[in-house]
Amino acid sequence: MLLPRRALTLAGAAIALAMAGIPAQAADIPAPGEIVMSPNITHVTNVPKPEALPDIHTDMAFQGNYAYVGNYSGFSIYDIRKPKRTSLVSSVLCPGGQMDVSVYGNLLFGSVDSSRNDDSCSSTGQSASVKESWEGVRIFDVSDKTNPRYVKSVETNCGSHTHTLVPDRRGRNVYIYVSSYSPNAAFPDCQPPHDLISIIKVPLRDPASASVISAPNLFPDGGFPGMPGSYPDGKSATTGCHDITAYPEKGIAAGACMGEGILMDIRNPERPRVTATVRDETNFAFWHSATFNNRGDKVIFTDELGGGTRATCNPEIGPTRGANAYYDIVRGQLQFKSYFKIARHQDATENCVAHNGSLIPVKGKDIMVQAWYQGGISVVDFTDSANPQEIAFFERGPDNTAPALSGGFWSAYYYNGYIYGSDFNQGLDVLKIDDPRTNRANGVRFDDLNAQTQESYRERGHHH
């Protein structure tokens, strides 16, 4: 069992507070910027956000001894050979949010879901109602980590909010499944109903010839129509997907598609096929992301209630909204098992909701580390998917370096023995978990990690 966040507070002080009639939960909120964590977590280091990139940090990818961190202003490359001495190698100023990143070989892919006046790194914002505006995917060559080179842009309908890499089995091409949404009749390149994803084919011998090869309609029936209502009661309609996680070696993918969750058969990566769909009209407002367990027989879907800009980790919203939902895959269908939400209540100024995470590679167990914006970073054992348990956490008190409701961890991923957290404003945090339930993962090494492209793991040894 985890100690409460004030593990070191004297019992006497707790009793005095209780007697004074102060709600324990309010007393529990750390001071602005104060770090609180479970005893099994160590804060290894923090690398502040690079001055070259003024906007917020977003998603991450890893390869060898490097971490790649997206930012609404571009992306940065960090040397993580010695995690305690993580350092910035280079930053590329190339604005266009939200710069969701993936790496493959010498290529880095970045998602741009912000309409620009052209595809260049000196572009400025321009309405999507202008036909000539650009948004989509940018491709960089990162073979020289000190000086990445912009290779190619590929325009996609409604831009690219997130994207997912699906390598082919022969190693000749990599496919990019582009998730985007919010169509509008006034946008020439983003017409309703947009019940589709775009698929970009990147020939690895000639990445500059990358192009959109198809835009399969995943929801021919229109998908979930949504449920009217203002926050926190409305439910999003399905138009395209928000995020897709592929598990190429098993030929499957899971999509979080705003109004519903889906399973896909991706054995032919050029023709993904929806095989199951599930909706939650009680608790899920916005199906945001999906993660498989290692065996590929469970999926965790997250609900981004309030779009990541609301304080949802409080008694008013409760434990089943803005949460994770765990599903078992039974005979090809999704079977709901339970919800999980962090139990630590957050301040009214703290945006907090289930967000991006990845598995900790412990054989025979299902354990995931996950970001919760200003709710911090949580490690959850969901081996029993009907009874997920938090086993570790790390968080800061309210971020008063930025406007209210605009801080915290965007993503938290486990890579080769360490947890990396990408914080909007505070930069890149490196954590170490020391716990008998997770320590076996220390022997598992990966060559790379794109969290939306899952690879299986064994007990120990190297994974390509």
Side-chain angles (χ1 to χ4, degrees):
M1 175 181 142
L2 268 187
L3 295 170
R5 79 202 298 164
R6 294 299 197 188
L8 305 176
T9 305
L10 295 172
I15 292 161
L17 281 173
M19 288 173 68
I22 298 168
Q25 213 49 71
D28 264 348
I29 293 184
E34 180 193 356
I35 288 174
V36 288
M37 52 193 164
S38 52
N40 54 358
I41 290 261
T42 311
H43 190 204
V44 175
T45 191
N46 167 268
V47 184
K49 224 170 46 172
E51 287 176 15
L53 303 181
D55 217 320
I56 66 169
H57 263 347
T58 60
D59 211 0
M60 299 178 283
F62 300 84
Q63 187 183 60
N65 295 313
Y66 296 94
Y68 300 82
V69 181
N71 182 294
Y72 272 72
S73 299
F75 67 92
S76 297
I77 304 178
Y78 294 85
D79 183 335
I80 56 170
R81 186 179 309 264
K82 296 197 166 90
K84 286 189 171 89
R85 298 211 287 271
T86 294
S87 60
L88 181 69
V89 178
S90 63
S91 292
V92 173
L93 182 64
C94 196
Q98 53 186 24
M99 209 54 194
D100 192 32
V101 289
S102 299
V103 284
Y104 191 90
N106 287 327
L107 301 176
L108 176 140
F109 304 95
S111 279
V112 179
D113 187 24
S114 121
S115 188
R116 316 293 297 171
N117 67 332
D118 62 39
D119 65 354
S120 75
C121 287
S122 55
S123 67
T124 53
Q126 176 170 287
S127 170
S129 61
V130 179
K131 171 72 180 154
E132 289 67 36
S133 294
W134 180 89
E135 51 188 326
V137 173
R138 291 177 174 143
I139 305 175
F140 295 85
D141 182 320
V142 291
S143 43
D144 177 356
K145 306 288 180 274
T146 64
N147 188 23
R149 191 170 54 81
Y150 189 2
V151 174
K152 167 82 172 178
S153 75
V154 181
E155 187 168 14
T156 56
N157 287 342
C158 302
S160 172
H161 193 69
T162 64
H163 70 267
T164 304
L165 297 189
V166 183
D168 74 9
R169 292 179 186 277
R170 292 176 309 205
R172 291 181 188 169
N173 307 290
V174 62
Y175 296 91
I176 305 176
Y177 288 6
V178 174
S179 296
S180 57
Y181 55 95
S182 296
N184 187 316
F187 300 164
D189 296 323
C190 184
Q191 291 289 299
H194 193 72
D195 289 321
L196 55 87
I197 58 171
S198 298
I199 300 179
I200 298 172
K201 183 177 185 174
V202 184
L204 293 169
R205 283 187 177 165
D206 181 18
S209 67
S211 64
V212 174
I213 55 158
S214 66
N217 182 351
L218 302 183
F219 304 101
D221 65 348
F224 182 55
M227 292 169 72
S230 55
Y231 168 87
D233 301 316
K235 307 278 181 276
S236 177
T238 299
T239 57
C241 290
H242 179 275
D243 212 335
I244 293 168
T245 292
Y247 202 155
E249 70 194 73
K250 294 191 185 294
I252 55 176
C257 301
M258 308 170 67
E260 59 210 284
I262 61 172
L263 284 179
M264 289 190 280
D265 177 336
I266 59 164
R267 283 173 297 184
N268 177 349
E270 297 195 4
R271 291 195 177 79
R273 208 165 46 77
V274 175
T275 57
T277 179
V278 66
R279 296 172 184 176
D280 177 346
E281 299 181 23
T282 307
N283 287 308
F284 261 45
F286 189 97
W287 295 68
H288 171 273
S289 53
T291 305
F292 289 103
N293 66 335
N294 190 48
R295 286 174 53 179
D297 59 9
K298 299 177 188 171
V299 188
I300 309 103
F301 287 106
T302 65
D303 173 25
E304 194 185 45
L305 172 68
T309 63
R310 299 275 193 159
T312 79
C313 298
N314 53 41
E316 297 78 59
I317 298 296
T320 56
R321 298 198 283 181
N324 294 341
Y326 299 84
Y327 288 82
D328 287 357
I329 302 173
V330 181
R331 290 185 292 282
Q333 298 303 304
L334 291 159
Q335 199 172 86
F336 174 77
K337 300 303 283 189
S338 67
Y339 296 108
F340 170 82
K341 190 171 179 182
I342 58 170
R344 292 170 300 286
H345 291 160
Q346 304 295 314
D347 192 71
T349 63
E350 292 184 280
N351 51 314
C352 174
V353 76
H355 218 243
N356 298 0
S358 75
L359 299 181
I360 297 183
V362 181
K363 191 181 182 195
K365 294 274 185 193
D366 297 325
I367 300 178
M368 182 173 169
V369 59
Q370 184 182 3
W372 290 76
Y373 287 132
Q374 289 196 66
I377 290 173
S378 176
V379 179
V380 176
D381 182 334
F382 64 103
T383 309
D384 173 1
S385 48
N387 188 30
Q389 300 290 323
E390 180 175 83
I391 62 172
F393 73 88
F394 173 95
E395 69 157 298
R396 290 185 173 89
D399 184 351
N400 62 0
T401 70
L405 303 172
S406 61
F409 289 101
W410 183 286
S411 43
Y413 300 138
Y414 181 96
Y415 180 67
N416 294 349
Y418 291 82
I419 291 167
Y420 295 85
S422 168
D423 185 290
F424 278 40
N425 310 306
Q426 305 304 323
L428 180 62
D429 283 293
V430 185
L431 313 176
K432 182 83 178 161
I433 182 169
D434 181 3
D435 189 290
R437 292 164 289 193
T438 60
N439 286 345
R440 278 184 302 170
N442 290 335
V444 180
R445 315 302 285 177
F446 283 94
D447 289 338
D448 49 47
L449 174 74
N450 293 302
Q452 282 74 43
T453 307
Q454 288 189 226
E455 298 175 61
S456 65
Y457 53 81
R458 297 184 304 276
E459 182 75 51
R460 282 190 171 274
H462 210 79
H463 298 261
H464 296 290

